Amino acid sequence: MKNIKKLKTIAIVIVLCGIGFIFYATIHSQNLIKKIEQQKLSANNIDNYLNSIPTSSYINTEAEESFLLPNYQDLEDDIKHTYYPSVGPTMLSNTDQWDQTKLKALYEELMQNQHGEEMNSLYKVYVHGEASQNAAADHLNSNEKIDFKIVFPAIPDSCKIQFKQVMGTINLYDGNQYTTIDSMAFVLSHEYGHHYTFYYMFDDDTTALESEYAKLRQIPEDKVEIVRSAIDDDYYINNHHWYLQEIAADDYVQLMGSPTAKKIINYSDINDILHGASSEWTYYSINGTPQENFLIQLAYETEGLYDYYYSFIDSNLAMTTHQKIPITITIQRKSKYHELINGSLTCIYYEITWDKVYGEDVVYTLVYYDPDNYDYVMPLKTVYSNQSALAYIGHVSYETSMYIYSQNDELATGKKTFVVTATFPDGTIYKSDPVEYNFD
Amino acid sequence: MKRKIRVLSLLCMMVILCGCMKLNVDCGIKKDHSAYLTYTIELDMKELSNDLKREVVSYFKEFTNRYEEYGFTSVTKNTDDSIDIVLTYQKSASNYEEAYENLKTMLNNPKISFLMSTDMTTVVEEYEQGFTFNADIDVSKIIETSYLNTLPYNINNMISDGIAKSEINFSLSLPQSTIVETNGDIQNVLGTTKIVFPVSLNEESSFNLIARMSIDNNKAVNGDINSLTIKNKQIISLYKTLIIVATTLVVVVSIGFVYLTIKQKKDKRKKA
């Protein structure tokens, strides 16, 4: 009996639980069915939403504007034009005479000068419109602080990285007067010569005297200058041609200068001018002023110098050796008498002749300087292959049936030393021995 | 006609080699409805000169300071050879829709975002949320307009080399979601769906993503809505089976109960 009671109790519990579960499961199933319907609805709505390609566009206009901002660089206030090449120095000018197009051309001219890795440390070439009191140009090596900054709205404006490097700057002056590449090429090449020689050859101190360059150049020890006086500008200017760095820069132009820097200038003497020769006068030229100091050998005449200059860079240029031959210069005093309506005119002039010892392909240029107070060399006359090796100074003249024409260059006074340079087609330049003449 | 020259001693050229940077831009929504934007910067400075290391450290210090002013928290680990910086901006919300709007606000803020354009939308239904995300970033343009060519050649080279060796990734994370379409790499880790977009340094990079996320009671749930529906149907089917079993059991037990009651009465009569 007891067992039956127990079984009945268990049966009641099971039945109640079963009914409870059936009730729960039914309710829950109903809920799940509803949930499934709602999930389907949600899914459909999301499908429709995603298929409709919704948009909510935002454009970062601040960033777009930042892309249009002028480039970041702390330029001097008066810079008007710039050219930024991918390799080499930044080209700048403060004059409209040197706009971006011309700066680009000047950059291309610079790159025509023989160069190597040292070009990477040339920071700027700056063409100044105005002239400088003391210089046609200068080269300066200085510790530059160069800022790199990314201009973007999400990068704070104050974030910048400063690079400190010794960098060279070339300043070219008088850009309003010298407005062509041709007129700047020689000076540019000379200044780049400073950059090149300081990079590879010596520092601006007395150790330069022990450099390989100084040994090759053999400048007289009692003449050579190294360190510029900080207080005596006049001494520096008066002895400029004896500064080792200037001689080295001149050597660079002769040995490694660009074709434009080494362009031959046609100098006309007083007789050419009297007969209407057009004036192409430019002071600096490879044939007239290959180097400032004519009291020493030219670069090509100095043994080992060519190879030494080219030893720092990769270059396929090979030096052609020309045998040096003495050039004999002859100076003859002459006069020409002219009868005038009221009296007469006697013109005293000098014919300077020399031998074309190197043949007709070579261009000869007569130059002179003051032997007692050497300061600079002055070109007088260029002679090409089809011309006689003859130059005039003094008072020259000629007559027509109606008129007498005369012109005096006032050069036939005092003492002068004459030298003839010979410029070969391959760029080699030699000079004759000097000939001194006293006109008084 | 004289040329003037002012020359300082030409010191040895400072040799500065490049360092490379790894930048990860992570953004997204967490399961708890918070939106976040994190910049992780790792800079290898082993090859930098000491001067340049100082400059770089100062650069990132300035960068971090400014971002802290914008509400970012920062963690900086600085050694002699490296800098690791983590900058995080986080904003909580009460639901995913609001979280997505917060994320949108972060990515559309030009002061803290490098994106050039965005197109972000969301819709919330009871059991599912849809997201669309399109964005562009143009690192090449940023580099181009930083005017490297105005710098000296060797510095330009050094920075360009550093940039070339650098790596930038952009990633967007959502609570586990179904990715309908994307041009990024999908990674599912611990209930989070992360889409990683590599950023090109040479051209504009575009990111796109269409995602949907199942939700229940305002919380993300694992699985897409179809699998959840199937799962529910399976539960219903199971319930049906169990109801039949339970009904059968109730009937059988009830019969047994009736049988026992009758038997008990018969036994009582016999005894009586």
Side-chain angles (χ1 to χ4, degrees):
Chain A
M1 285 294 279
K2 275 188 180 176
N3 284 340
I4 290 173
K5 269 188 180 177
K6 269 186 188 172
L7 285 171
K8 279 176 76 179
T9 307
I10 292 168
I12 288 166
V13 170
I14 290 171
V15 169
L16 287 175
C17 286
I19 291 168
F21 175 76
I22 291 164
F23 183 75
Y24 166 80
T26 307
I27 299 290
H28 202 219
S29 293
Q30 292 297 320
N31 286 341
L32 284 176
I33 289 165
K34 272 187 199 167
K35 195 172 180 179
I36 288 169
E37 281 169 8
Q38 282 166 341
Q39 281 176 332
K40 277 183 185 167
L41 186 65
S42 290
N44 283 340
N45 288 343
I46 297 292
D47 282 346
N48 292 336
Y49 171 77
L50 295 178
N51 288 333
S52 66
I53 315 174
T55 58
S56 173
S57 294
Y58 157 79
I59 304 289
N60 190 344
T61 48
E62 283 191 35
E64 285 185 339
E65 282 163 15
S66 75
F67 291 159
L68 301 174
L69 288 173
N71 54 346
Y72 173 80
Q73 201 179 45
D74 283 330
L75 294 174
E76 291 94 319
D77 289 340
D78 59 349
I79 295 296
K80 282 190 172 175
H81 301 282
T82 56
Y83 174 66
Y84 294 101
S86 55
V87 174
T90 298
M91 309 296 287
L92 309 167
S93 94
N94 67 356
T95 168
D96 291 333
Q97 294 289 346
W98 287 89
D99 59 12
Q100 189 178 57
T101 307
K102 277 167 85 174
L103 288 176
K104 182 172 184 283
L106 190 66
Y107 165 78
E108 284 160 3
E109 165 56 27
L110 172 68
M111 300 305 276
Q112 291 299 309
N113 290 281
Q114 296 292 317
H115 62 273
E117 64 173 37
E118 81 290 342
M119 183 63 85
N120 299 336
S121 67
L122 183 61
Y123 186 29
K124 290 185 279 193
V125 173
Y126 186 169
V127 182
H128 301 257
E130 64 280 9
S132 164
Q133 199 177 355
N134 297 322
D138 62 45
H139 170 266
L140 170 70
N141 269 331
S142 57
N143 279 301
E144 295 285 346
K145 291 175 182 170
I146 299 147
D147 290 340
F148 172 63
K149 183 172 170 178
I150 296 173
V151 179
F152 196 77
I155 296 178
D157 197 45
S158 50
C159 284
K160 61 182 178 184
I161 292 179
Q162 193 169 71
F163 296 86
K164 297 184 187 87
Q165 275 204 45
V166 176
M167 299 290 288
T169 297
I170 290 174
N171 291 299
L172 301 173
Y173 299 105
D174 218 1
N176 289 334
Q177 176 73 25
Y178 298 101
T179 58
T180 61
I181 301 301
D182 280 9
S183 63
M184 282 291 189
F186 188 94
V187 174
L188 177 63
S189 184
H190 173 92
E191 298 308 328
Y192 193 75
H194 284 304
H195 188 72
Y196 188 91
T197 53
F198 277 122
Y199 189 87
Y200 293 117
M201 298 183 187
F202 45 72
D203 286 340
D204 184 31
D205 57 32
T206 50
T207 59
L209 280 179
E210 283 130 42
S211 64
E212 180 69 16
Y213 172 76
K215 286 174 191 159
L216 284 168
R217 245 321 188 167
Q218 294 184 324
I219 314 295
E221 279 182 27
D222 59 330
K223 295 282 188 191
V224 70
E225 299 283 350
I226 300 292
V227 183
R228 179 184 174 179
S229 164
I231 51 167
D232 192 348
D233 261 5
D234 285 345
Y235 182 84
Y236 170 71
I237 290 167
N238 292 334
N239 293 280
H240 192 262
H241 54 283
W242 284 116
Y243 278 79
L244 192 73
Q245 57 265 39
E246 296 301 331
I247 296 166
D250 281 344
D251 288 346
Y252 174 86
V253 181
Q254 291 173 70
L255 301 171
M256 307 183 92
S258 73
T260 312
K262 295 178 79 168
K263 185 185 162 195
I264 287 170
I265 297 294
N266 184 11
Y267 295 103
S268 301
D269 65 14
I270 191 67
N271 196 46
D272 296 329
I273 293 165
L274 180 68
H275 287 84
S278 61
S279 177
E280 193 197 350
W281 208 87
T282 299
Y283 177 71
Y284 296 111
S285 74
I286 201 68
N287 56 315
T289 58
Q291 62 191 35
E292 189 184 359
N293 191 336
F294 259 58
L295 306 178
I296 57 174
Q297 290 179 314
L298 296 182
Y300 277 95
E301 295 168 335
T302 307
E303 199 179 339
L305 205 59
Y306 182 95
D307 290 340
Y308 179 63
Y309 267 74
Y310 277 90
S311 66
F312 303 104
I313 62 166
D314 292 328
S315 172
N316 297 323
L317 290 177
M319 182 186 176
T320 311
T321 308
H322 302 275
Q323 191 189 354
K324 194 174 175 194
I325 307 169
I327 297 174
T328 306
I329 299 171
T330 308
I331 302 170
Q332 286 182 287
R333 184 183 186 278
K334 291 195 172 179
S335 67
K336 195 178 262 184
Y337 179 80
H338 299 282
E339 289 221 355
L340 306 176
I341 296 169
N342 300 321
S344 63
L345 171 69
T346 301
C347 297
I348 308 295
Y349 63 96
Y350 295 82
E351 281 184 3
I352 305 171
T353 56
W354 61 91
D355 307 324
K356 285 186 162 182
V357 293
Y358 297 112
E360 288 296 320
D361 287 347
V362 173
V363 174
Y364 300 88
T365 306
L366 179 69
V367 304
Y368 69 91
Y369 55 82
D370 181 350
D372 294 333
N373 185 22
Y374 185 90
D375 192 10
Y376 52 85
V377 64
M378 190 61 87
L380 194 70
K381 164 87 174 173
T382 307
V383 171
Y384 291 89
S385 59
N386 57 349
Q387 296 174 306
S388 305
L390 166 66
Y392 293 89
I393 65 168
H395 194 178
V396 292
S397 61
Y398 71 93
E399 279 185 35
T400 64
S401 56
M402 295 281 290
Y403 301 104
I404 296 166
Y405 298 90
S406 77
Q407 208 159 347
N408 193 343
D409 58 15
E410 308 292 346
L411 291 178
T413 57
K415 279 197 281 184
K416 290 202 168 38
T417 296
F418 294 92
V419 174
V420 170
T421 68
T423 311
F424 291 76
D426 65 4
T428 302
I429 313 159
Y430 290 156
K431 66 179 171 64
S432 69
D433 287 337
V435 170
E436 191 178 310
Y437 192 89
N438 191 346
F439 292 97
D440 293 336
Chain B
M1 300 305 232
K2 298 285 186 188
R3 300 178 190 91
K4 157 175 92 169
I5 181 165
R6 290 165 288 156
V7 185
L8 299 176
S9 294
L10 183 68
L11 304 172
C12 299
M13 285 298 296
M14 188 169 66
V15 179
I16 37 179
L17 299 168
C18 56
C20 57
M21 186 174 83
K22 193 174 174 189
L23 169 65
N24 284 326
V25 184
D26 295 305
C27 62
I29 297 166
K30 291 182 180 170
K31 205 163 185 174
D32 63 0
H33 306 138
S34 58
Y36 67 95
L37 171 62
T38 300
Y39 291 105
T40 308
I41 301 160
E42 292 169 25
L43 189 77
D44 178 2
M45 302 196 295
K46 270 199 250 358
E47 295 176 59
L48 297 184
S49 68
N50 286 338
D51 272 357
L52 205 50
K53 275 181 191 170
R54 278 192 288 277
E55 284 292 320
V56 170
V57 168
S58 149
Y59 185 96
F60 282 105
K61 197 173 171 187
E62 193 67 36
F63 190 89
T64 304
N65 287 346
R66 186 58 59 89
Y67 273 67
E68 282 173 344
E69 285 171 21
Y70 295 148
F72 279 73
T73 57
S74 74
V75 178
T76 304
K77 190 179 155 196
N78 197 349
T79 69
D80 263 3
D81 292 336
S82 68
I83 304 178
D84 294 345
I85 302 169
V86 181
L87 296 166
T88 304
Y89 183 73
Q90 190 160 322
K91 197 166 182 189
S92 50
S94 55
N95 57 52
Y96 292 119
E97 191 177 17
E98 199 185 317
Y100 201 65
E101 283 304 314
N102 286 342
L103 179 64
K104 193 163 140 182
T105 306
M106 289 177 201
L107 297 182
N108 291 355
N109 180 351
K111 290 208 163 9
I112 58 171
S113 169
F114 288 80
L115 297 175
M116 287 304 296
S117 69
T118 65
D119 190 346
M120 298 170 66
T121 66
T122 186
V123 66
V124 183
E125 294 289 326
E126 191 172 357
Y127 289 103
E128 199 172 32
Q129 181 161 3
F131 301 102
T132 66
F133 174 80
N134 289 287
D136 296 314
I137 189 166
D138 196 345
V139 178
S140 64
K141 189 81 179 167
I142 296 173
I143 294 166
E144 185 191 323
T145 51
S146 65
Y147 293 92
L148 287 175
N149 66 340
T150 65
L151 299 173
Y153 176 75
N154 54 342
I155 296 177
N156 176 347
N157 248 5
M158 185 197 68
I159 296 172
S160 300
D161 280 356
I163 290 169
K165 285 183 188 169
S166 297
E167 187 186 323
I168 303 177
N169 281 306
F170 179 88
S171 64
L172 176 69
S173 298
L174 297 170
Q176 192 159 34
S177 301
T178 305
I179 306 304
V180 180
E181 187 184 311
T182 185
N183 63 343
D185 296 325
I186 305 164
Q187 298 171 2
N188 284 304
V189 184
L190 299 171
T192 299
T193 304
K194 184 176 184 181
I195 302 92
V196 180
F197 303 97
V199 178
S200 168
L201 301 171
N202 305 314
E203 57 185 4
E204 188 179 37
S205 305
S206 296
F207 319 132
N208 72 65
L209 169 72
I210 299 175
R212 49 206 302 169
M213 179 174 76
S214 303
I215 49 173
D216 200 354
N217 287 324
N218 203 20
K219 284 281 172 197
V221 288
N222 290 347
D224 63 48
I225 198 151
N226 290 331
S227 63
L228 289 176
T229 306
I230 291 165
K231 203 171 164 186
N232 285 337
K233 281 182 179 171
Q234 284 170 344
I235 293 169
I236 292 168
S237 176
L238 181 66
Y239 277 143
K240 278 181 182 169
T241 310
L242 290 173
I243 287 168
I244 291 166
V245 171
T247 307
T248 309
L249 187 67
V250 166
V251 170
V252 170
V253 172
S254 298
I255 291 167
F257 181 81
V258 171
Y259 169 77
L260 286 172
T261 308
I262 293 166
K263 197 185 172 194
Q264 198 179 19
K265 279 184 180 175
K266 276 183 183 174
D267 288 349
K268 272 185 182 177
R269 276 184 204 150
K270 275 181 187 175
K271 278 186 181 179

